[in-house]
Amino acid sequence: APVAPAQPVPAAPVSYTAPGGINPALFSKAKAALDSRGWIRHRDFIGVAHFAHGSTDPRFHVVHLPSGHVETFRVAHGSGSDRGHTGFLDHFSNVHGSEATSQGAYTTSETYHGKYGLSMKVRGLDWTNNNAEARAIVIHNAWYAEPEMVDIHGKLGRSQGCFAFSRKDQWNVMQRLGDGRLIFADKLA
């Protein structure tokens, strides 16, 4: 009797559980933001900023999705999101002049040399952050995001809404998240 040709076996769906150290609900939202935007070309790394934590805590996660490996960094939030300078983000804003951090999905864009040296533009993809480019929200390094600020002041300084890192951390983040990768920022309990 003739043998029927083998039928292709569909690939098993990839199941993403939250990598270690990331709030599972936040990671689920970040992954859904990536999955709903099929046009995002690079899907190997994703950035997840969890602003429920204070600025003393490493709260910006860079996840290598194929392996689940996570690197975590300290990141500053906007002064308009923490008017009392407590070290904790108390609200988001997308309003021009607010100097606040915005929540939602972003894609990274081109690099340029600006006030803080090498920086990377980001584009807001949601109604909660669609003014990011017009507000000049970028990834940059800053003196107020260096580790000694935590030692001296018990918290990082504040940006004007940008993702501000120490010089070393900013370089590592930009190396992994450049060229159109997704960043997702939110605050979940």
Side-chain angles (χ1 to χ4, degrees):
V3 177
Q7 295 296 316
V9 177
V14 178
S15 173
Y16 290 101
T17 58
I22 302 178
N23 175 299
L26 179 63
F27 184 74
S28 179
K29 286 179 74 171
K31 186 66 177 68
L34 179 65
D35 291 344
S36 69
R37 293 170 172 94
W39 54 265
I40 293 179
R41 178 173 45 152
H42 299 293
R43 307 175 85 75
D44 51 350
F45 286 96
I46 186 173
V48 181
H50 193 196
F51 287 109
H53 300 288
S55 65
T56 59
D57 297 327
R59 58 187 179 170
F60 190 96
H61 311 283
V62 176
V63 182
H64 183 244
L65 291 172
S67 69
H69 177 73
V70 179
E71 293 175 273
T72 304
F73 307 94
R74 285 184 178 131
V75 65
H77 55 259
S79 61
S81 291
D82 177 13
R83 287 186 176 85
H85 199 11
T86 64
F88 288 89
L89 179 145
D90 56 41
H91 72 280
F92 293 105
S93 178
N94 190 33
V95 175
H96 291 277
S98 68
E99 297 189 355
T101 297
S102 298
Q103 71 189 111
Y106 299 81
T107 57
T108 59
S109 187
E110 64 269 6
T111 58
Y112 69 98
H113 287 276
K115 176 180 177 181
Y116 293 101
L118 184 65
S119 302
M120 181 179 288
K121 294 179 181 181
V122 296
R123 292 188 174 108
L125 303 177
D126 296 321
W127 68 269
T128 56
N129 64 6
N130 61 3
N131 290 325
E133 278 186 287
R135 292 179 58 212
I137 303 302
V138 300
I139 295 170
H140 66 76
N141 69 71
W143 62 269
Y144 56 79
E146 293 295 334
E148 55 268 16
M149 292 299 110
V150 172
D151 298 335
I152 296 168
H153 301 288
K155 59 193 164 216
L156 295 182
R158 298 166 297 166
S159 70
Q160 293 178 316
C162 294
F163 296 98
F165 297 90
S166 70
R167 184 176 300 276
K168 177 184 170 202
D169 289 350
Q170 177 234 3
W171 177 252
N172 288 325
V173 168
M174 284 178 37
Q175 287 294 318
R176 288 154 185 79
L177 294 180
D179 195 25
R181 288 176 173 85
L182 188 108
I183 295 172
F184 189 81
D186 208 343
K187 176 182 177 179
L188 302 180

